[in-house]
Amino acid sequence: MLLTVRAAGIKNYVLQEANAAELHAAVSQLLGGGNYFSPALYALLLQMHALERPTRRESEVLALLAKGYCNKRIAQRLGIQQGTVKAHMQSLMGKLGACSRTEALALAYQRGIVEIEAA
């Protein structure tokens, strides 16, 4: 569902039941150039995807990302194309409910999906 929402290009969403404080927060965020997604709906979507785990290959991409590898290096290391790495990252971001690679890595770490090695 979350991946479907992102694939559809939905970046902003306020529930009809939103109170004045939430409407104010949404408008402020949008006026500042940001995006706003109703916390209640976002939490529900994340809960629905909580059981969706990365594939073996996505886990490999995530592990190399945790080591600081860029897409080009990840592709070289795994013997795949850079576009394939990007596709795995998009899938991971959808599964984790992340908006960026950095957020995906942080969420994966928080959920115990990947470990970050000390340098």
Side-chain angles (χ1 to χ4, degrees):
M1 180 74 136
L2 188 58
L3 185 57
T4 305
V5 168
R6 290 189 185 230
I10 300 170
K11 297 179 182 174
N12 305 295
Y13 197 93
V14 179
L15 292 174
Q16 187 173 359
E17 303 84 39
N19 60 30
E22 184 176 350
L23 286 173
H24 183 269
V27 170
S28 296
Q29 187 73 19
L30 294 171
L31 287 175
N35 296 322
Y36 185 85
F37 206 79
S38 176
L41 183 56
Y42 191 72
L44 177 62
L45 291 172
L46 287 178
Q47 192 174 37
M48 289 171 63
H49 283 277
L51 300 176
E52 201 170 357
R53 302 288 292 181
T55 64
R56 180 187 57 80
R57 184 59 99 180
E58 289 169 348
S59 295
E60 292 170 348
V61 169
L62 199 53
L64 293 173
L65 179 65
K67 290 182 178 184
Y69 287 26
C70 64
N71 284 355
K72 183 177 181 179
R73 236 175 124 196
I74 293 171
Q76 290 170 342
R77 184 76 184 261
L78 297 177
I80 59 178
Q81 299 294 314
Q82 286 185 56
T84 305
V85 173
K86 289 179 184 178
H88 287 311
M89 282 307 307
Q90 286 296 325
S91 177
L92 279 165
M93 288 167 53
K95 288 178 180 181
L96 296 168
C99 296
S100 69
R101 293 163 53 101
T102 305
E103 185 182 13
L105 186 56
L107 290 170
Y109 174 73
Q110 289 170 359
R111 296 176 191 172
I113 296 170
V114 69
E115 291 189 20
I116 300 175
E117 299 174 12

